[in-house]
Amino acid sequence: MRIDIKHYLEVNHLTIYQVSKRSGYGYTTLHKSFNKPQSSSTSLNLRDLDALARAQDKSMWEVLKELEQHYLE
């Protein structure tokens, strides 16, 4: 399974830069993570999930639920 994080960002009108600034995580770290090829063993990690949640004032479980329901390929 692969999570289409780019589409998630687009639909939620977010950029990696905005996620970085709102979450407090480094831009370079998030950029590398969101742009790396995903495999079944390297999917979204907790830091990325936390960054997305913080950027939107949501709980991590809310973001995870959205990703699972709408952005799995």
Side-chain angles (χ1 to χ4, degrees):
M1 290 189 307
R2 185 178 168 279
I3 297 171
D4 189 353
I5 196 67
K6 298 283 191 156
H7 189 236
Y8 179 84
L9 291 171
E10 182 180 314
V11 167
N12 288 283
H13 308 288
L14 291 170
T15 64
I16 297 171
Y17 179 80
Q18 290 171 319
V19 172
S20 170
K21 288 299 174 191
R22 293 177 188 174
S23 69
Y25 289 101
Y27 172 82
T28 303
T29 300
L30 292 177
H31 187 271
K32 285 180 183 178
S33 185
F34 290 169
N35 285 296
K36 74 179 177 196
Q38 293 179 14
S39 70
S40 59
S41 62
T42 61
S43 189
L44 195 66
N45 63 39
L46 288 176
R47 179 204 54 234
D48 299 341
L49 190 59
D50 185 45
L52 291 169
R54 287 176 186 244
Q56 299 175 86
D57 294 321
K58 293 182 178 181
S59 298
M60 287 173 55
W61 69 266
E62 292 174 293
V63 174
L64 183 58
K65 185 176 178 182
E66 289 176 17
L67 291 169
E68 288 178 331
Q69 291 178 341
H70 306 289
Y71 301 95
L72 282 181
E73 295 181 343

